[in-house]
Amino acid sequence: MNKKQLTDAEQQELLLRMKKNYTYDAKSGRLTSSRLGRAVRGKKRDKNGYLCVLCRLGKRQVFVRLHHAVWAVCKGRFPERQIDHVNGDKRDNRIENLREVTSSENHLNVLLAWNPNAKTGVPGVSPHGCQYQTKIHGKMYHFSDPYEAFYHATMCGKRYKEH
């Protein structure tokens, strides 16, 4: 849902409908449809790969990201900022895995793909002359050992997901 597309009154109406139509199961982290009695899985993915739920607002159809819907049902309001999945799994919508953060805070929790450099065999580390370099928060750092560079990058917050 793009909050700019809805007025405050429409957001409040949508929130009331969602609280009426959905219940949240804390154990599984799933929304359940009160009308159908089954888990809401999300119908389509947005451009970032997040599952969305179709909600009706009068004659309009509004797609709401599933984790935003969980947040709204649990907290009683739509998020003002971005919602971050703490463990990096977009499918894990347990409320304890969701937190409201700024864009820069959300970017710090990015899980990078485990793609080792062809020459060093270490992800995020490339050769630079007779040293090895890694880029952390836009700045290049140089080390004598590729594993030292990788260790430094992970200590500064770079996280990699298993393949």
Side-chain angles (χ1 to χ4, degrees):
M1 174 187 74
N2 188 349
K3 288 188 274 188
K4 295 174 187 164
Q5 295 173 344
L6 299 177
T7 65
D8 288 340
E10 289 173 326
Q11 281 187 35
Q12 289 304 315
E13 182 183 343
L14 182 61
L15 182 63
L16 288 173
R17 285 177 180 241
M18 290 176 74
K19 289 180 82 172
K20 177 183 169 192
N21 294 330
Y22 300 126
T23 55
Y24 173 73
D25 179 20
K27 191 178 265 187
S28 67
R30 292 186 177 178
L31 286 179
T32 304
S33 170
S34 302
R35 189 172 53 93
L36 301 174
R38 62 179 183 227
V40 176
R41 291 181 287 166
K43 295 275 184 196
K44 92 176 211 185
R45 293 187 183 274
D46 67 1
K47 64 181 179 182
N48 297 319
Y50 291 102
L51 287 170
C52 295
V53 178
L54 176 66
C55 300
R56 297 204 184 276
L57 190 60
K59 293 184 179 181
R60 289 175 67 181
Q61 293 182 344
V62 179
F63 283 97
V64 179
R65 288 180 173 177
L66 188 55
H67 58 285
H68 284 233
V70 168
W71 183 271
V73 169
C74 291
K75 302 285 186 176
R77 64 177 177 83
F78 285 108
E80 308 258 330
R81 301 178 290 174
Q82 293 183 3
I83 296 295
D84 177 40
H85 290 82
V86 177
N87 68 3
D89 184 1
K90 294 178 183 180
R91 297 168 297 172
D92 185 358
N93 291 318
R94 293 173 296 126
I95 195 67
E96 62 265 14
N97 187 46
L98 303 177
R99 64 181 177 165
E100 194 171 9
V101 295
T102 63
S103 178
S104 58
E105 289 171 329
N106 198 6
H107 188 68
L108 292 175
N109 199 27
V110 170
L111 287 173
L112 304 169
W114 185 272
N115 294 329
N117 182 287
K119 293 184 180 176
T120 64
V122 181
V125 178
S126 59
H128 185 261
C130 56
Q131 291 188 319
Y132 299 93
Q133 69 181 13
T134 186
K135 188 175 184 178
I136 304 167
H137 304 301
K139 187 175 178 185
M140 299 303 279
Y141 293 90
H142 300 274
F143 299 90
S144 58
D145 181 63
Y147 298 102
E148 181 184 6
F150 178 75
Y151 176 77
H152 185 73
T154 58
M155 298 296 5
C156 290
K158 280 196 171 185
R159 295 178 45 207
Y160 294 89
K161 59 184 170 185
E162 297 176 23
H163 49 271

